[in-house]
Amino acid sequence: MAVKTYYTREHEWVRMEDGVAVCGITDYAQTQLGDVVYVELPEVGAEIARDGEAAVVESTKAASDVYAPLTGTIVAVNDRLEESPDLVNESAEDQGWFFRMEIGDEGELDELMDEEAYQAFVEELD
Amino acid sequence: MTDLLKTPLHAMHLAAGARMEPFVGYDMPLRYPEGSVAEHNQARNRAALFDVSHMGQLRLMGEGADEALETLVPGDIRGLGDGAMRYTLFTLENGGILDDLIVSRIPGGLGLVVNAARRKGDTEHLRSHLGDRVDIVPEPDRALLALQGPAAVAVLPDFADLPFMAWREGEACGVPARVSRSGYTGEDGFELSVAGADAEALAGRLLAHEAVAWAGLDARNSLRLEAGLCLYGRDLDEDTTPLEAGLGWTLPKRRREERGFPGAARILDNPPVRRRVGMRPEGRVITREGSDVLDGSGEPVGWVASGGFSPVLGGPVAMGYLPVALAAPDTEIAFDIRGKPRPGRVVRLPFVPHNYFRG
């Protein structure tokens, strides 16, 4: 069975891989932003509360905050985004991941949207 | 919400899949599906087509229009030959800048292209100062297209001999147009003023050429920034003088001697204390308009007026204002980006060399 991906209203995605939450911005978000030219990632070891500012994604047009979908500690960041921020455009929900978090409460996931709910949410926005 | 204005090419932008955004009262294309960076590179390497019909086109008609306009701008307008055009500024009594504009010599008067956001104010300014000397004729029904890039000349070969900053009336792809060798990207190219009703036909025929593709406002901004060109409202405003803005070249010797434009004494008798400069942050972090620029001791000493990503350099670039003492190239500075100082330095403008047609 495929690993379930969860979504926030701020257009982040998160999924559990090997007990760690992998987070990024959604494909919808990258199409809204346009060409991504810089990503400012959090420091490994940073403790971030759910909905706290975790990263900044810069398109040619503007800078946007990226929030932590869950409460936890940053255990890894995607160093490839340093040289290739365009990975966020090419593969937002896979190769273009932002950071991995160790989380305390997997129950927080239940408060996020599943794929179907997120698609419906996005359709309302357009 | 007020209804946004539409240019004569609005339907074509939608059909091309453009992402639209409100811009000075118009619903304008921000970018097309290829994306801003591809559109930027299109203008640098091939030819990009921009709809700039939101810009204000007007005519000052009547004998002595050039002398009359010289009372409002510091440029040499009397010396404009037939078919010539020039970049100049509406200055204010305090020495600041009301707008920047292009002035063309046309039969019986002058043609002006002004910024969309300033069109109303400029027109009032002209009416109140020159209303009894010239006829001020707005041309709201005309469209303006810009074809920019090294391949532009192959698309409009009939205008290959047109010098930089000159224009003539002619047929572009069979459409009657006022064609000028000018633009806002630093590249060779043309700007084409046509009747609104002809705009779709002209755009369609230009786009049929394999070298041409649409580009939107986002690419237009990154192109002009790489070329070190000012954007009114960011790099120029009512509190910035032409000399501070590094636009002293728009004040020729005769006008400096004769004066007779608003704010002449304020502009010419006060050496600038700050200067527009080019700046580059180290690394890839982008600095944007409004960021403080810090000196070596971390004190805010200036600001970023325009900042963004340069596709050609593959990194961030900015223009802004610094005290004259810190304006020399290679001066080490820092940018306050989200509360953190990020090192950078002053660099020469433009960031990317101009590629204008020089005959």
Side-chain angles (χ1 to χ4, degrees):
Chain A
M1 191 185 120
V3 179
K4 192 169 171 183
T5 304
Y6 298 85
Y7 299 86
T8 72
R9 298 173 68 87
E10 300 290 341
H11 308 287
E12 293 96 11
W13 59 264
V14 54
R15 73 181 156 252
M16 299 302 295
E17 289 180 8
D18 305 324
V20 172
V22 186
C23 309
I25 67 165
T26 65
D27 191 59
Y28 174 83
Q30 70 81 16
T31 62
Q32 296 293 305
L33 290 171
D35 292 331
V36 172
V37 293
Y38 177 72
V39 180
E40 189 167 294
L41 294 166
E43 284 177 24
V44 171
E47 290 176 23
I48 305 177
R50 180 179 164 189
D51 298 334
E53 290 174 16
V56 177
V57 57
E58 299 235 21
S59 70
T60 51
K61 176 80 180 153
S64 309
D65 288 323
V66 177
Y67 303 98
L70 306 165
T71 300
T73 305
I74 304 292
V75 294
V77 297
N78 187 355
D79 292 326
R80 290 179 69 196
L81 298 183
E82 176 94 5
E83 282 305 309
S84 305
D86 52 339
L87 274 179
V88 178
N89 295 115
E90 288 162 19
S91 180
E93 300 192 19
D94 184 15
Q95 301 288 305
W97 63 276
F98 278 35
F99 50 84
R100 293 172 193 262
M101 301 181 91
E102 218 164 65
I103 59 168
D105 178 13
E106 279 198 39
E108 280 186 349
L109 284 168
D110 296 333
E111 294 166 48
L112 302 178
M113 288 177 272
D114 63 13
E115 186 172 355
E116 196 180 337
Y118 180 68
Q119 289 308 327
F121 171 69
V122 162
E123 274 165 37
E124 286 286 301
L125 298 176
D126 282 336
Chain B
M1 186 178 145
T2 54
D3 283 341
L4 291 171
L5 298 168
K6 293 172 180 164
T7 76
L9 296 166
H10 189 266
M12 282 185 87
H13 301 316
L14 297 185
R19 182 183 182 85
M20 308 296 285
E21 78 160 12
F23 184 74
V24 294
Y26 283 82
D27 192 34
M28 294 298 286
L30 176 66
R31 62 173 188 266
Y32 299 82
E34 284 296 302
S36 305
V37 172
E39 294 164 26
H40 181 110
N41 292 330
Q42 176 77 18
R44 288 277 178 254
N45 302 322
R46 310 267 279 161
L49 183 64
F50 301 84
D51 178 11
V52 287
S53 304
H54 59 297
M55 299 202 67
Q57 301 184 65
L58 56 139
R59 314 192 119 194
L60 305 186
M61 301 306 287
E63 195 149 334
D66 51 3
E67 278 176 48
L69 185 61
E70 280 197 357
T71 65
L72 298 182
V73 306
D76 179 12
I77 307 303
R78 278 165 45 201
L80 267 182
D82 287 342
M85 54 199 288
R86 189 156 285 163
Y87 174 76
T88 192
L89 309 163
F90 285 124
T91 52
L92 297 164
E93 293 302 335
N94 72 348
I97 300 167
L98 178 71
D99 198 5
D100 58 347
L101 68 154
I102 297 282
V103 182
S104 305
R105 174 78 69 185
I106 61 173
L110 299 170
L112 273 56
V113 178
V114 304
N115 280 301
R118 305 300 275 183
R119 179 176 51 196
K120 194 156 169 274
D122 291 349
T123 308
E124 282 165 13
H125 186 64
L126 286 164
R127 280 196 210 291
S128 69
H129 291 92
L130 309 183
D132 54 351
R133 297 176 67 178
V134 295
D135 285 329
I136 298 155
V137 188
E139 299 190 295
D141 298 328
R142 288 190 80 81
L144 192 63
L145 285 84
L147 182 69
Q148 299 283 294
V153 68
V155 178
L156 293 172
D158 291 352
F159 298 92
D161 61 319
L162 199 57
F164 181 59
M165 294 304 277
W167 77 278
R168 72 167 173 255
E169 201 102 41
E171 285 209 346
C173 307
V175 173
R178 300 175 197 149
V179 181
S180 65
R181 197 78 177 256
S182 56
Y184 191 44
T185 60
E187 293 299 325
D188 186 18
F190 302 95
E191 291 172 298
L192 304 107
S193 170
V194 297
D198 290 336
E200 284 201 344
L202 175 59
R205 289 171 203 176
L206 292 171
L207 289 164
H209 200 289
E210 52 90 27
V212 181
W214 279 122
L217 291 178
D218 198 22
R220 183 169 156 84
N221 189 53
S222 53
L223 287 157
R224 69 92 194 168
L225 178 55
E226 278 185 351
L229 301 172
C230 293
L231 173 61
Y232 192 86
R234 293 268 171 82
D235 308 289
L236 307 177
D237 59 33
E238 296 187 359
D239 298 312
T240 301
T241 74
L243 300 189
E244 289 169 343
L247 299 175
W249 60 272
T250 69
L251 284 72
K253 185 160 173 282
R254 174 175 67 80
R255 300 304 317 275
R256 285 176 190 249
E257 286 168 4
E258 293 175 4
R259 306 199 166 192
F261 53 91
R266 298 289 282 273
I267 294 166
L268 295 170
D269 300 338
N270 296 299
V273 293
R274 56 185 165 102
R275 273 289 302 227
R276 179 172 62 96
V277 296
M279 300 177 283
R280 289 204 67 186
E282 278 175 24
R284 295 187 70 113
V285 66
I286 290 171
T287 184
R288 295 185 189 270
E289 48 277 7
S291 287
D292 282 337
V293 181
L294 316 174
D295 66 9
S297 62
E299 284 299 307
V301 289
W303 67 92
V304 173
S306 292
F309 176 77
S310 159
V312 169
L313 300 180
V317 294
M319 295 197 294
Y321 283 87
L322 286 178
V324 168
L326 295 176
D330 291 329
T331 304
E332 288 182 6
I333 48 171
F335 303 91
D336 181 344
I337 300 174
R338 294 181 281 276
K340 282 184 232 163
R342 303 280 199 155
R345 65 195 163 85
V346 177
V347 299
R348 256 177 238 291
L349 292 172
F351 298 103
V352 172
H354 294 159
N355 184 33
Y356 298 134
F357 176 61
R358 294 296 180 189

